[in-house]
Amino acid sequence: CGIPYVLDIDDLYWSLPEFSSDQAGKDSSYVGYIDTLAAGAALITTTTDVLRERLNTRHPKAAIAVVRNAPPAWHAPLPAVLIANTDNFKLPAQETAWFKDILSFINESGCALQLIGDNQSLLNSEQSLSFYSLPLLSLEDYHRQLQQGAYVLSLIPVGNSDYADCKSSIKALEFLQAGIPVIA
């Protein structure tokens, strides 16, 4: 309709890996649709210099600008400490103060806090801290995230109780297998 528009592209939509859930990887007509949008855009914005170069090769006549995005909420910047807190602390309420102090110290030292699991009570109680949180992932994507992250340490807060004694140690094993030191 003749109105100038900006198209934001943040991946190689024409060359997605098999594990991608993006429909462009499975539907060539969708790739064609994005190509058509790109050809008519007044400007294409993208997130990295590498992607700009690849887009420039695919769309040599397009105006392309790099606009660096902040990391998404599920990807902590480097370095990061991974916090496994899958059911709102495996600790009684009176025993959580030391853990919150540790999180404050980590945060103040410049490390990001990457959360996995159900952490709403932690997020509600510690609003002064900056957390990144993993969304619900398939098991394959979860393991990939563990392998690709640059976690300097993982923390699994577990109390000394019958309840805690019955908890699975699978998270610790997954973290160790990914080369992440674990403190539980």
Side-chain angles (χ1 to χ4, degrees):
C1 61
I3 299 172
Y5 60 91
V6 174
L7 180 64
D8 183 53
I9 298 177
D10 64 357
D11 59 24
L12 292 172
Y13 64 89
W14 62 92
S15 180
L16 295 171
E18 285 184 25
F19 59 80
S20 173
S21 60
D22 191 310
Q23 74 183 64
K26 323 252 181 305
D27 184 352
S28 60
S29 65
Y30 187 69
V31 171
Y33 171 71
I34 297 174
D35 278 338
T36 301
L37 282 175
L43 175 68
I44 299 173
T45 60
T46 193
T47 53
T48 68
D49 293 321
V50 171
L51 190 49
R52 179 183 44 81
E53 290 170 15
R54 300 227 176 128
L55 284 165
N56 197 31
T57 300
R58 187 166 183 93
H59 302 285
K61 295 180 180 178
I64 302 172
V66 174
V67 178
R68 302 194 192 286
N69 288 345
W74 51 265
H75 186 255
L78 305 178
V81 174
L82 183 63
I83 314 294
N85 180 32
T86 55
D87 42 23
N88 301 327
F89 290 115
K90 297 178 184 82
L91 303 168
Q94 68 272 19
E95 293 182 22
T96 61
W98 65 269
F99 187 66
K100 292 176 182 179
D101 289 345
I102 288 173
L103 297 183
S104 293
F105 176 77
I106 290 168
N107 210 217
E108 290 166 10
S109 72
C111 277
L113 299 170
Q114 172 80 65
L115 302 174
I116 62 170
D118 180 359
N119 290 284
Q120 197 56 52
S121 70
L122 180 60
L123 293 169
N124 291 344
S125 68
E126 297 303 306
Q127 295 176 356
S128 64
L129 299 178
S130 177
F131 293 101
Y132 296 84
S133 196
L134 281 173
L136 185 62
L137 299 170
S138 70
L139 186 60
E140 182 182 61
D141 287 341
Y142 164 70
H143 286 148
R144 186 176 297 112
Q145 175 68 23
L146 292 181
Q147 293 291 334
Q148 291 175 347
Y151 303 111
V152 295
L153 180 68
S154 63
L155 300 176
I156 304 175
V158 186
N160 193 9
S161 66
D162 291 341
Y163 172 74
D165 289 345
C166 294
K167 297 304 287 179
S168 169
S169 57
I170 202 79
K171 286 266 183 292
L173 294 174
E174 290 171 334
F175 296 168
L176 289 168
Q177 191 273 333
I180 307 167
V182 176
I183 296 176

